[in-house]
Amino acid sequence: MRLVLFALGQLFLGASASLACPDYMQYGQEYSFTGQQVYQPVGFPVVAGGDYRLSSCNIRFLSDRGDGYVTRAPDFTFGISGLSGYELQFRVESDCDAILVVNTGGANWYYDDDDAGNGDPAIRLTRPSEGIYDAWIGTYDGKSCQARLIVETF
């Protein structure tokens, strides 16, 4: 009986832990544009932060690895077309130590903490594909602050 209760408890804990992670099946504020339209940077105001700690999630990032707090649903969901020949960059300007998590339409996860300088994150994709991009703007310490996500092609 104890073994059954232990197994059920482990199952419940595992399921609840996965519910506390970023979920690309949900949508954030939705925008659509082409690579050419963001050749000039476009900014989106956001409150950085969240309640879910990345280190408790089982996400395999293809870029930097780190910690921080994000929301379950992405802050933004972008449909981006016409990216052939462009590099695509997501970067954050904030009043705190912000982090950035991006999930691509190919289900690839990217993380950054400080590559934009001043404690701000940036992720630059050198061969982006057309499709859906979800972006979470979180904070390293779990607090929240005003921020701005900037999307730009090069």
Side-chain angles (χ1 to χ4, degrees):
M1 181 67 163
R2 280 189 194 186
L3 184 57
V4 171
L5 289 175
F6 176 78
L8 287 174
Q10 293 293 70
L11 179 64
F12 175 74
L13 287 174
S16 65
S18 66
L19 292 177
C21 294
D23 182 0
Y24 66 88
M25 297 297 288
Q26 295 191 25
Y27 292 89
Q29 294 178 40
E30 295 182 59
Y31 297 93
S32 294
F33 43 79
T34 66
Q36 185 176 6
Q37 289 173 316
V38 290
Y39 193 70
Q40 295 293 322
V42 177
F44 303 90
V46 64
V47 175
D51 296 328
Y52 301 115
R53 189 167 187 181
L54 288 174
S55 64
S56 65
C57 301
N58 194 18
I59 297 174
R60 185 177 155 263
F61 292 108
L62 297 179
S63 56
D64 292 347
R65 284 151 183 50
D67 202 4
Y69 294 82
V70 296
T71 56
R72 184 162 189 258
D75 293 296
F76 300 100
T77 298
F78 299 108
I80 308 176
S81 62
L83 287 171
S84 179
Y86 289 106
E87 292 184 6
L88 176 63
Q89 183 180 58
F90 297 90
R91 71 178 181 276
V92 176
E93 296 173 348
S94 69
D95 297 331
C96 61
D97 188 4
I99 64 161
L100 175 61
V101 173
V102 172
N103 181 271
T104 70
N108 294 315
W109 290 92
Y110 296 89
Y111 168 93
D112 189 66
D113 184 13
D114 294 329
D115 283 354
N118 297 323
D120 286 331
I123 295 171
R124 190 166 182 158
L125 304 173
T126 57
R127 292 181 306 190
S129 57
E130 297 184 355
I132 302 296
Y133 290 82
D134 290 313
W136 289 260
I137 296 78
T139 58
Y140 191 81
D141 60 8
K143 297 178 182 175
S144 62
C145 72
Q146 294 299 314
R148 181 177 165 97
L149 175 67
I150 299 162
V151 181
E152 183 176 12
T153 55
F154 298 90

